[in-house]
Amino acid sequence: QVQLVESGGGLVQAGGSLSLSCAASGRTISSYTMGWFRRAPGKEREFVAGITRRSSSTYYADSVKGRFTISRGNAKNMVYLQMNSLRPEDTAIYYCAVHVGSSVERETDYAYWGQGTQVTVSS
């Protein structure tokens, strides 16, 4: 069993930056692809970014590509999301999760979700 806790969310003006962290406990996550998802008000949860077990590959939603960077620190059992050039439409609750399926962009292929951290971008 893996427990995930997200942190780093907050309020920021458009154009600003935030760094999110996902701390895992209970089991090591070094052997799993990890992902970040988000849920904006009134919308379904959507894929944001993913990273493979050895950081050999990264994946990004078109809406965040070039602005967000996913990384991991396996020695610390953590995953990170650096968010730059934030826009009001980035406002959402951000979640990290463990990939257990075949598609890095499919929500149902993830398990062991964290509780989320709120990101609010003002305009």
Side-chain angles (χ1 to χ4, degrees), residues 31-86:
S31 62
Y32 295 96
T33 291
M34 299 292 295
W36 285 95
F37 287 74
R38 67 186 182 186
R39 180 155 51 206
K43 297 183 179 181
E44 299 292 326
R45 188 155 58 185
E46 65 178 354
F47 172 79
V48 176
I51 186 168
T52 58
R53 65 183 69 182
R54 296 180 178 179
S55 302
S56 58
S57 298
T58 56
Y59 308 86
Y60 297 95
D62 289 341
S63 59
V64 307
K65 193 171 185 178
R67 300 188 297 120
F68 292 9
T69 302
I70 187 172
S71 62
R72 68 192 303 162
N74 285 335
K76 299 180 179 180
N77 219 29
M78 296 186 70
V79 184
Y80 310 95
L81 186 68
Q82 176 65 45
M83 306 185 295
N84 299 323
S85 302
L86 284 164

